[in-house]
Amino acid sequence: MPDTAPTPLLLCADDYGLAPGVNAAIRDLIAQGRLTATSVMSLCQHWREGATALRELKDKADVGLHFTLTDQPPLGAMPTLAPDGRLPPLGRLMGWAYRGKLNTVAARAEIRDELSRQIAAFTDAWGAPPDYIDGHQHIHQLPGVRDAVVEALATLPGAYVRLCGEPVAAVLRRGVAVPKTLLIGGLGGGLRRMVRTRGIPANDRFAGVYDFAGNRPFAGLMPRFLDGIGGRTLVMVHPGLPDEELRRVDTLVEPRRAEYDYLRGPAFAALLQARNIRLTRFAGFPR
């Protein structure tokens, strides 16, 4: 074991609440000390039941809001963005964001109100406000959305936000889903500037993006995600146990099982030891 102090890493599982199998996998990994945060889709029907079981692990991981504006039924009426009672797919939402539709008075009000509803649904089931806010499919970075997120964070003292940017050189060295990673990071420049101006806590580095196609085993990806980490690095993962509900609501199924199997296994433990990495909650990062 190296004599130097271990490098801290925040390892966050997204999509808690999406399906029972996702909830069970995330809880198991938190209990084993293999995750230190999870992001909750509080508008999903499996959040409330999942909150009760997750509460037993509340001292082992940060629990935050995975603000969702795509593909799900919203918690309240959104006649501009979800006139048929279902939020738009990501591509349509991004198009609206960069054509200015999300900056209209009506759209901004709907986004702000839906975020408030999702925070309230989180808090009602969890018994406390979220430790942080991020976005399902990274929508919290979009113009017209990030403003509402920053306003909400200002009312949650101590809460942090996920930033998704990485140095371009680091992305190129890693060589994993380079265009996708650069796109996601590039979307976050405005949010990063707002967060810094407002003094909202945030991670410094981010990793975990890949294409979910299964062309590379997840066991080969995680070492790349951990290359050169430092500062306050957050790595996102999407573990889960496939079940009928997951298959009904999402196309990402088998990659979740592969991530779960790897994260709970001995190879991941050996990687952390070999790299002298200590999994931590956000508060465990050096100030």
Side-chain angles (χ1 to χ4, degrees):
M1 176 70 70
D3 294 330
T4 57
T7 301
L9 172 71
L10 179 61
L11 188 60
C12 179
D14 288 357
D15 302 345
Y16 194 88
L18 182 63
V22 172
N23 291 359
I26 291 173
R27 288 196 306 269
D28 181 48
L29 292 170
I30 292 173
Q32 292 189 51
R34 301 295 177 89
L35 290 173
T36 49
T38 187
S39 298
V40 168
M41 299 175 74
S42 67
L43 80 175
C44 291
Q45 63 175 336
H46 300 288
W47 160 233
R48 179 167 289 277
E49 66 190 47
T52 301
L54 184 61
R55 199 173 295 115
E56 298 179 9
L57 302 167
K58 65 179 182 179
D59 296 328
K60 296 177 69 70
D62 294 340
V63 180
L65 178 70
H66 205 43
F67 183 33
T68 302
L69 283 177
T70 57
D71 298 321
Q72 302 289 331
L75 291 177
M78 300 181 72
T80 301
L81 303 183
D84 59 354
R86 191 170 191 86
L87 291 159
L90 178 60
R92 187 181 307 162
L93 186 73
M94 288 181 64
W96 288 348
Y98 287 98
R99 291 197 300 271
K101 182 173 179 177
L102 302 190
N103 272 317
T104 65
V105 172
R108 288 168 69 94
E110 288 185 11
I111 292 167
R112 183 181 63 248
D113 291 347
E114 179 62 17
L115 177 54
S116 295
R117 289 189 290 263
Q118 291 186 27
I119 291 173
F122 179 104
T123 303
D124 183 55
W126 185 242
D131 292 318
Y132 62 91
I133 297 177
D134 60 27
H136 183 52
Q137 297 180 313
H138 316 291
I139 57 87
H140 65 302
Q141 304 185 114
L142 295 176
V145 180
R146 61 196 181 208
D147 308 81
V149 169
V150 169
E151 289 173 12
L153 284 163
T155 70
L156 300 171
Y160 62 96
V161 66
R162 176 191 294 182
L163 298 179
C164 302
E166 300 181 70
V168 172
V171 175
L172 296 177
R173 281 196 303 271
R174 185 185 308 136
V176 176
V178 171
K180 181 179 179 181
T181 305
L182 292 176
L183 173 61
I184 291 170
L187 295 176
L191 178 62
R192 180 179 294 273
R193 289 188 293 273
M194 294 171 72
V195 163
R196 287 177 173 171
T197 299
R198 300 288 287 270
I200 295 169
N203 56 299
D204 303 317
R205 298 279 295 274
F206 174 73
V209 178
Y210 68 105
D211 61 12
F212 301 115
N215 296 327
R216 294 186 181 181
F218 190 72
L221 295 175
M222 184 56 78
R224 291 175 177 264
F225 295 150
L226 301 186
D227 283 345
I229 67 168
R232 293 183 291 190
T233 297
L234 185 157
V235 174
M236 70 168 182
V237 290
H238 298 81
L241 291 167
D243 56 24
E244 289 308 309
E245 179 64 7
L246 179 58
R247 293 186 177 92
R248 185 182 71 82
V249 299
D250 196 50
T251 58
L252 182 59
V253 178
E254 290 305 323
R256 294 184 190 270
R257 185 202 301 270
E259 291 194 24
Y260 171 66
D261 289 344
Y262 173 75
L263 292 171
R264 70 193 297 268
F268 182 49
L271 175 65
L272 294 176
Q273 183 174 15
R275 300 283 185 93
N276 194 26
I277 291 171
R278 171 180 58 87
L279 298 184
T280 184
R281 299 174 67 175
F282 190 83
F285 283 128
R287 297 296 179 181

